[in-house]
């Protein structure tokens, strides 16, 4: 049952790609799946990705992650200044994760 539904969805996605590309025999490649799935959802549901994305700015997501990690695990994120030449982009944010009962530190860089 699952295999049949999966095959049906793959066929729909392949057909959608062919229509968008103007091809009659274009195969769906592994790297195409997420792209064309998003396009197909947008066209069917009149879904505008950029409108939804405006509610999920990086700063809002980072703050939400901080709250979630603190409430679930008791761990906290701390901003760490970047060393000169450490980043390819000045907008990179470097964070460390600390837990009061654990001896570890994890550094995360996000843009």
């Amino acid at each position: 049952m699952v295999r049949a539904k999966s095959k049906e969805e793959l066929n729909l996605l392949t057909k959608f790609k062919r229509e968008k590309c103007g091809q009659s025999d274009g195969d769906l490649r592994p790297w195409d799946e997420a792209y064309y799935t998003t396009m197909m959802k947008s066209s069917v549901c009149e879904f505008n990705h950029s409108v939804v994305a405006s509610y999920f700015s990086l700063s809002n997501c980072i703050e939400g992650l901080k709250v979630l990690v603190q409430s679930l695990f008791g761990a906290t994120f701390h901003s760490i200044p970047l060393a000169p030449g450490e980043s390819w982009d000045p907008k990179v944010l470097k964070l460390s994760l600390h837990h009061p009962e654990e001896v570890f530190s994890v550094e995360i860089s996000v843009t």
Side-chain angles (χ1 to χ4, degrees), residues 14-23:
T14 302
K15 180 181 176 189
F16 181 80
K17 178 188 175 184
R18 289 175 180 169
E19 289 171 1
K20 287 295 177 187
C21 294
Q23 300 173 341

Side-chain angles (χ1 to χ4, degrees), residues 11 13 15 24 30 44 52 57 73 82 109:
N11 288 339
L13 200 53
K15 180 181 176 189
S24 60
V44 170
V52 174
S57 67
F73 307 111
L82 292 169
S109 297

Side-chain angles (χ1 to χ4, degrees), residues 41-52:
K41 285 179 182 178
S42 296
S43 67
V44 170
C45 302
E46 296 180 14
F47 176 79
N48 187 337
H49 175 73
S50 61
V51 171
V52 174

Side-chain angles (χ1 to χ4, degrees), residues 3 5-6 9 11 21 26 30-31 39 42 49 55 58 63 65 70 79 82 84 92 97 105-107 110:
R3 187 176 299 260
K5 183 65 175 171
S6 175
E9 288 180 6
N11 288 339
C21 294
W31 53 86
M39 280 184 68
S42 296
H49 175 73
Y55 290 97
L58 179 59
E63 288 306 312
L65 179 63
Q70 171 71 42
S79 294
L82 292 169
V92 168
L97 179 64
S105 181
V106 177
E107 293 183 4
V110 293

